[in-house]
Amino acid sequence: MRISELDLPAPVKEFYERSGIKELYPPQAEAVKKGFLEGRSLLAAIPTASGKTLLAEMAMLKSISHGGKALYIVPLKALASEKFERFRQFEALGVRTGISTGDYDSRDEWLGDRDIIVATSEKADSLLRNGAPWLSSLTIVVADEVHLIDSANRGPTLEVTLARLRRLNPSLQIIALSATIGNAKELAGWMGAELVVSDWRPTTLKEGVFFGRAINFQDEKRVISTPGPDEVLALVSDTLAEGGQCIVFTNTRKSSEGIAQKVAKSLSKKLTEEEKSAFQDIKQQVLRHAETDTCARLAACVEHGAAFHHAGLKNEHRRIVEDEFRRNRIKVIACTPTLAAGLNLPARRVIIKDYRRYDVNYGSVPIPVLEYKQMAGRAGRPGLDPYGEAVLIAKTHDEMGELMDNYVLSEPEHITSKLGTEPALRSHVLSAIATDLCRDESDLYDFMDTTFYAYQRGDLSAIIKNVLDFLEAERMVVRSGDRLNASELGRLVSRLYVDPLSASIIVRALEAAKKRCEPYQKEIALLQLICATPDVRPLYLRRSDYGWVVKYTEDHIDDFLTEVPGAGDETDFEAFLATVKTAALVDMWINERNEEEITSFYSIGPGDVRSLMESCVWLMHATAEISGLLRAPVTTEARELAVRIEHGISRELMDLIELEGVGRVRARKLYDAGFRDRETLKKADEAAVAAVLGEKVAAKVLAQLGRKDVAATTGPDDTIGQSTLLLFHE
């Protein structure tokens, strides 16, 4: 089936044909026959690289051509950015794209004039809670990586968001995409969607197990003659010898770094002068963001064409690795399984080094087949590779047989709803009441009956009753007979997008603070408070931490706003100490300890620091808002702390940090040079400021302050402009 034959606007067909896409893949052609271009909902359960995104694009563009609006939901911010950059190419068609991934109490009304909005499932949920007016204009929603409904963390939010959007607009078209669903028919039935299931791929995928110097496939064996000190290096060397790229999946960050270092050492002896020059360029990109040992190790690896990738890296470094791998300059990535979560990073060969993972409750356990299939699906670069290979590694002949049976020849597990627990339901029940989606208990039960959990597993009423009892006891919901109303506190908590249990902990602490005789200003108390909520994941308490954490706790024993458990209650006391340890890290951050010192002391990555700060900024902002409602004495302090956590600064830098382009390092340099606020800076000699910041940055900073005697060098506008080709908006 050719693009020219489709029922799409002529400019859209011309756009794809100019891009080199002239004919549909078989699964795409089947989707056309199922009516997805006629507005029917569709679940496409087809392999990676077989054209899922193109299906979503065509459906969105067709809907937009008739005056519609599209929401594209993804699980990760990194994937949102990738899709946003792709959809910006539709500006040539007059299609405007926006992205929204943060500020969970914002309505983002500016998105009302965008045709495609890319958002994470959490952000989409928060937009519903905050009543974004443009949501009622949606005509199509795309749920990418929809199998993540099976995730205990993200699944309930995606599930409830889809249910709410369907309730808001019963005629809404849903396009759900996944490479791995064992029970696709059941999920399609819940969504009322047509189903396309296929194992067709543009590049053949071979799955096998490496044992005895050979990759054992189902019907053949391939001997690896390339020497190597271990299985991974032998497979990597063989891949590179054929001109391919390689991804190695491991179960720990430490293992991914170790493999990348070994590969880099091996490659260093084989590089051409041209390759050395290219790798030096990548190394310099990494070093521009390097402040920690982790970053330095990454720079040393990319210097020889290898890299590691895990959540401990800064976002900037992850993007560099991803972009340079796509450009075929980085040859090998050793990574944790997070890289398999939807990012477009195919490779000639995928090596799954570890098929077991440590679970705190069960010890070492095998990974699910679904996860293996996600990783295996990265194998094969369309248009570059004649085939792709996914290879597991076995130590014994028996293990080889087990891996072949349990992974290569197995189908993905059925996905199941994870909505049926009180922690999962608390937030969504409150949201349904606070937004007036459900005005009484009957409405609430009826709405929850539209979820995948109810479709798949039955009655939620007992759990909902427990959640309602909790919300009523915590003064977030008011019951009057069968009638349900959210209190002012309940509405605020829902808009703030925090777990009602987190809000309950904060409320109790703030009410205790109100009883104190003097205004409360102890920073560590507020930091420990937010770290004691379920919305912030506390750091692991190692045996070597006990001495200093207990001492730190004793030093601040009279400051904490949460109850300190008795040392005799070992489990609760350890949990409390973990929150103190986490708060102590945040305290180091806002007092401008350098990143290397923090990551070294806590044995975590710079990406972990940034992720923790992101959570803490939001919880501190929520604390300030709740404090304002309760008229507690910490509102100003909490607002200040939210800014300080966001930027990693002491209080004295708060005025300077408001300048665009001035982060924690530049603000400190300015302050120490005598430019202690914006007013002082405005009157400063340009040459003196340039001596601190450099000429270009100084010019930009002074121009922001209204200085007309400087010529700021500005970069490209980050906003999305209107296209001159308004083919859909004449």
Side-chain angles (χ1 to χ4, degrees):
M1 188 179 291
R2 300 185 65 81
I3 288 284
S4 59
E5 301 169 358
L6 300 180
D7 182 17
L8 288 170
V12 175
K13 292 189 281 191
E14 292 167 7
F15 173 88
Y16 284 118
E17 288 177 332
R18 285 196 305 270
S19 303
I21 302 173
K22 300 183 184 298
E23 194 164 352
L24 297 183
Y25 290 152
Q28 296 168 335
E30 184 182 349
V32 172
K33 294 174 184 176
K34 293 286 181 73
F36 89 104
L37 287 178
E38 299 163 17
R40 293 181 187 170
S41 293
L42 175 75
L43 170 58
I46 57 180
T48 300
S50 58
K52 295 189 297 294
T53 301
L54 181 61
L55 290 175
E57 289 177 3
M58 291 191 296
M60 291 191 297
L61 294 173
K62 176 71 180 292
S63 186
I64 291 165
S65 72
H66 291 295
K69 182 187 286 288
L71 174 64
Y72 196 102
I73 301 175
V74 295
L76 303 172
K77 290 183 179 180
L79 188 54
S81 298
E82 183 180 290
K83 296 302 181 186
F84 172 65
E85 291 303 323
R86 163 59 185 169
F87 300 155
R88 287 183 71 175
Q89 296 178 31
F90 300 145
E91 287 182 10
L93 299 170
V95 173
R96 298 155 296 195
T97 302
I99 183 171
S100 183
T101 58
D103 291 336
Y104 290 138
D105 61 349
S106 168
R107 290 155 58 96
D108 282 357
E109 294 186 26
W110 65 275
L111 291 171
D113 68 352
R114 298 295 189 259
D115 304 298
I116 300 174
I117 297 99
V118 184
T120 60
S121 53
E122 290 81 9
K123 180 59 183 182
D125 183 23
S126 77
L127 289 166
L128 283 163
R129 297 181 187 208
N130 285 280
W134 51 265
L135 286 170
S136 59
S137 303
L138 289 176
T139 54
I140 179 171
V141 170
V142 179
D144 205 350
E145 306 294 325
V146 73
H147 60 271
L148 288 174
I149 278 180
D150 191 70
S151 164
N153 294 326
R154 288 193 162 92
T157 295
L158 175 59
E159 177 181 344
V160 173
T161 297
L162 290 175
R164 289 193 63 166
L165 288 169
R166 292 173 68 193
R167 176 138 171 171
L168 185 67
N169 183 355
S171 63
L172 188 70
Q173 182 183 17
I174 295 179
I175 306 294
L177 310 173
S178 177
T180 47
I181 302 179
N183 52 333
K185 185 175 181 180
E186 184 177 33
L187 188 61
W190 171 60
M191 294 189 300
E194 299 292 330
L195 177 63
V196 172
V197 178
S198 174
D199 58 5
W200 184 92
R201 287 171 50 103
T203 304
T204 300
L205 173 63
K206 300 179 180 180
E207 298 177 59
V209 183
F210 185 65
F211 175 70
R213 307 299 298 179
I215 305 174
N216 300 272
F217 299 106
Q218 186 176 2
D219 300 317
E220 60 178 304
K221 179 184 290 189
R222 177 178 173 181
V223 177
I224 300 298
S225 57
T226 309
D230 59 32
E231 296 93 337
V232 171
L233 282 178
L235 288 165
V236 168
S237 298
D238 181 73
T239 310
L240 300 184
E242 292 190 346
Q245 290 173 284
C246 198
I247 296 176
V248 183
F249 285 103
T250 72
N251 59 3
T252 67
R253 298 178 186 182
K254 185 176 181 180
S255 179
S256 70
E257 293 188 19
I259 288 171
Q261 289 168 332
K262 284 198 294 185
V263 170
K265 184 177 180 180
S266 174
L267 291 177
S268 65
K269 306 165 188 174
K270 307 172 185 177
L271 301 178
T272 65
E273 290 303 315
E274 183 179 356
E275 287 173 329
K276 289 179 182 178
S277 176
F279 295 149
Q280 280 297 322
D281 173 57
I282 303 172
K283 178 182 178 181
Q284 292 308 313
Q285 290 182 54
V286 171
L287 289 175
R288 278 197 287 271
H289 304 283
E291 300 175 25
T292 67
D293 283 347
T294 303
C295 306
R297 289 194 296 273
L298 178 63
C301 288
V302 300
E303 185 177 14
H304 304 298
F308 53 85
H309 186 293
H310 55 61
L313 287 178
K314 285 183 175 181
N315 290 336
E316 297 91 337
H317 288 140
R318 290 201 294 268
R319 280 196 293 269
I320 291 169
V321 170
E322 293 158 12
D323 291 345
E324 296 300 339
F325 191 79
R326 290 189 188 103
R327 295 174 65 184
N328 200 10
R329 298 214 297 177
I330 287 177
K331 303 299 182 182
V332 181
I333 296 178
C335 60
T336 52
T338 52
L339 192 66
L343 289 175
N344 181 27
L345 287 175
R348 166 74 65 83
R349 181 177 283 156
V350 167
I351 301 167
I352 296 93
K353 176 182 178 292
D354 303 303
Y355 68 93
R356 302 183 75 87
R357 175 187 300 120
Y358 178 76
D359 183 285
V360 67
N361 296 312
Y362 302 104
S364 179
V365 297
I367 63 173
V369 178
L370 187 151
E371 188 172 313
Y372 159 75
K373 295 294 184 183
Q374 283 286 317
M375 292 187 282
R378 301 289 126 197
R381 301 169 299 176
L384 294 175
D385 293 325
Y387 57 86
E389 290 182 349
V391 184
L392 291 147
I393 296 175
K395 299 294 184 184
T396 66
H397 189 273
D398 287 346
E399 187 179 37
M400 181 184 74
E402 291 172 6
L403 293 177
M404 188 69 73
D405 291 340
N406 296 338
Y407 288 104
V408 174
L409 302 178
S410 285
E411 294 297 318
E413 298 87 356
H414 285 199
I415 66 172
T416 58
S417 169
K418 300 301 188 290
L419 186 62
T421 66
E422 289 184 36
L425 273 173
R426 274 193 302 258
S427 183
H428 297 299
V429 167
L430 177 60
S431 171
I433 298 167
T435 56
D436 295 325
L437 176 72
C438 301
R439 298 176 182 274
D440 54 42
E441 291 191 37
S442 177
D443 273 353
L444 182 60
Y445 291 123
D446 287 346
F447 169 65
M448 289 299 173
D449 278 345
T450 68
T451 62
F452 185 49
Y453 184 97
Y455 181 88
Q456 183 182 54
R457 304 174 73 174
D459 190 16
L460 276 167
S461 57
I463 305 170
I464 293 172
K465 181 182 182 303
N466 291 340
V467 169
L468 285 174
D469 289 344
F470 168 81
L471 294 173
E472 184 178 29
E474 298 301 327
R475 296 170 292 160
M476 296 180 203
V477 166
V478 179
R479 276 167 157 161
S480 178
D482 194 37
R483 179 78 178 175
L484 297 172
N485 288 294
S487 66
E488 190 175 2
L489 173 63
R491 291 183 186 277
L492 176 62
V493 169
S494 180
R495 290 197 305 272
L496 288 170
Y497 206 76
V498 295
D499 186 333
L501 180 56
S502 294
S504 171
I505 292 168
I506 292 168
V507 167
R508 289 168 190 262
L510 296 184
E511 288 180 336
K514 285 175 69 174
K515 296 176 181 177
R516 300 194 182 220
C517 298
E518 300 176 357
Y520 200 75
Q521 299 180 355
K522 294 294 178 71
E523 292 171 359
I524 189 62
L526 288 173
L527 297 180
Q528 189 276 329
L529 169 60
I530 62 170
C531 292
T533 67
D535 280 310
V536 174
R537 182 180 296 177
L539 299 176
Y540 176 72
L541 192 68
R542 299 168 300 184
R543 188 176 298 276
S544 59
D545 292 326
Y546 276 85
W548 77 263
V549 176
V550 169
K551 175 68 165 58
Y552 193 93
T553 301
E554 290 172 348
D555 290 344
H556 296 281
I557 197 72
D558 295 326
D559 301 329
F560 297 123
L561 291 171
T562 61
E563 185 177 349
V564 182
D569 192 343
E570 188 173 337
T571 302
D572 287 349
F573 188 63
E574 284 195 5
F576 181 84
L577 292 179
T579 69
V580 174
K581 175 184 174 180
T582 310
L585 186 155
V586 185
D587 190 49
M588 288 179 72
W589 173 252
I590 65 173
N591 284 294
E592 299 181 55
R593 303 287 278 273
N594 70 61
E595 206 165 4
E596 169 57 28
E597 185 179 359
I598 294 172
T599 56
S600 176
F601 184 80
Y602 286 92
S603 298
I604 60 175
D608 300 311
V609 175
R610 300 305 170 93
S611 177
L612 174 61
M613 295 313 140
E614 191 174 286
S615 297
C616 287
V617 167
W618 191 250
L619 264 293
M620 192 60 73
H621 166 70
T623 299
E625 294 298 306
I626 294 171
S627 177
L629 177 66
L630 300 179
R631 298 184 179 179
V634 301
T635 307
T636 301
E637 290 77 8
R639 284 181 180 148
E640 282 187 358
L641 276 173
V643 174
R644 292 177 59 195
I645 297 169
E646 180 178 5
H647 298 287
I649 56 169
S650 303
R651 181 179 286 108
E652 62 204 34
L653 300 185
M654 287 185 62
D655 187 60
L656 291 172
I657 205 70
E658 293 187 20
L659 291 165
E660 184 180 349
V662 176
R664 71 194 304 243
V665 175
R666 286 174 177 162
R668 175 49 61 191
K669 287 181 177 179
L670 286 169
Y671 189 91
D672 290 346
F675 307 114
R676 302 200 163 188
D677 53 40
R678 285 177 292 170
E679 192 59 35
T680 305
L681 201 55
K682 184 176 182 179
K683 300 173 184 176
D685 177 67
E686 183 181 358
V689 180
V692 178
L693 300 179
E695 291 184 7
K696 289 185 178 180
V697 175
K700 288 181 180 179
V701 168
L702 293 174
Q704 292 178 58
L705 296 170
R707 289 277 292 270
K708 301 184 186 294
D709 58 329
V710 295
T713 305
T714 57
D717 189 355
D718 289 333
T719 59
I720 306 171
Q722 297 275 347
S723 172
T724 55
L725 299 175
L726 298 180
L727 299 177
F728 290 170
H729 300 278
E730 295 179 356

